[in-house]
Amino acid sequence: MRPLRPSLSQSLRALPQRRAYATPTAAPVSAPQAGGTSSPALYCKSLVQRLDYSAFLASYFYPPPLRDGYFALRALNIELATVKDSVSRELIGQMRMQFWRDSIRAVYEGRPPQQPVALALRDAMRRAPIPEDLIQQMIDARDEDLTSSTPPTLESLHSTLSSTSTALLHLQLSLLTPSLPPSLEPHLPLFKSALSHIGLSTGLATLLRALPYNASKRRMVLPADLTAAHGVVQEEVFRFGGDLPGEGKEGLRNAVWEFATEANDQLIAARGEMGILKGERVPREVMPVFLAAVPTQSYLSRLESVDFDAFDPSLQVRHWRLAWDTWRTWRRRDF
């Protein structure tokens, strides 16, 4: 009989030696027809609605004047994240990344190219100071991912996720910053720190959700040290998916459990920093950004319910409660 895996809700207590502290590689899809350069905001909104539905749900809780900027940032993230699977050669992907570097630089110089996401970012900058360095950081990280193989360790993933999932949340916070009351300005470092944890958690959970897809492309998102520790043979995962022969299936589930535990620990750490564990509430003015934790918690809970079988088909279906959970989290101002 295999040993019982601890519940994720007990992860920090069950693993006291652990440190307390996101975006999948998506299949290429055709761009939406709505909008384009004639209506950049509509283009971005349509793109997010089709390819990042949980982010689309969160948009309803942003102040109306800032929603177009929010969609612009999320659309940029989609554009960058899908490059790897939308090109046939690594060199073409690098050229696409260089296009985005040049385009973002041009946006900040006041001469954006006739590309809907770039035009939408130009419009967003007129309402809020969006840091260029964070966007360029995202591009550089996605560019490096074009040539990256299996991550060696969990820790090695943190740098990449800090430059992608976390940077994106910090950009979203920058949209809200100009409208914050003076009383909240001293707390910005705290908000950024908590969002860093959520960004890592979101990135890790997203990689887990994309494990079946990446395995079908002969890519392993679980770190090498993790698979080795649990006796998981990558080639078997590529060939059999979740139905590994012998003890391989149990080893894969244990590796997924450890990976998911890290993602959950990051959420717990974010809650601790924001005082959620002591009954405090997130200020309503910044709560929209913290809604990013909702789909992550939802996925981790569902993953636990199927005994950490990341290949379970139910995990690839949009959860029917996601809209309700997003609204409830907004009302309660926790996560």
Side-chain angles (χ1 to χ4, degrees), residues 302 305-306 309 311-319:
R302 293 163 65 201
S305 72
V306 296
D309 179 7
F311 286 82
D312 191 291
S314 67
L315 298 175
Q316 303 303 317
V317 179
R318 183 186 300 169
H319 192 32

Side-chain angles (χ1 to χ4, degrees), residues 33 38 47 49 60 72 94 121 159 165 173 176-177 200 213 217 254 271 287 303-304 320 323 334:
Q33 298 300 312
S38 62
L47 187 65
Q49 184 176 12
Y60 288 101
Q94 293 171 338
L121 286 170
S159 176
S165 302
L173 179 63
L176 301 173
T177 300
L200 289 176
Y213 173 78
K217 300 294 183 180
N254 285 331
R271 294 184 184 116
M287 188 61 207
L303 179 64
E304 184 174 20
W320 65 271
D334 59 9

Side-chain angles (χ1 to χ4, degrees), residues 102-103 105-114 119 122:
D102 296 339
S103 296
R105 189 173 301 112
V107 168
Y108 280 86
E109 291 174 354
R111 47 181 185 85
Q114 292 301 301
L119 293 173
R122 184 272 316 271

Side-chain angles (χ1 to χ4, degrees), residues 38-53:
S38 62
S39 180
L42 181 58
Y43 175 93
C44 293
K45 179 179 179 179
S46 176
L47 187 65
V48 174
Q49 184 176 12
R50 294 178 63 232
L51 301 184
D52 193 356
Y53 189 68

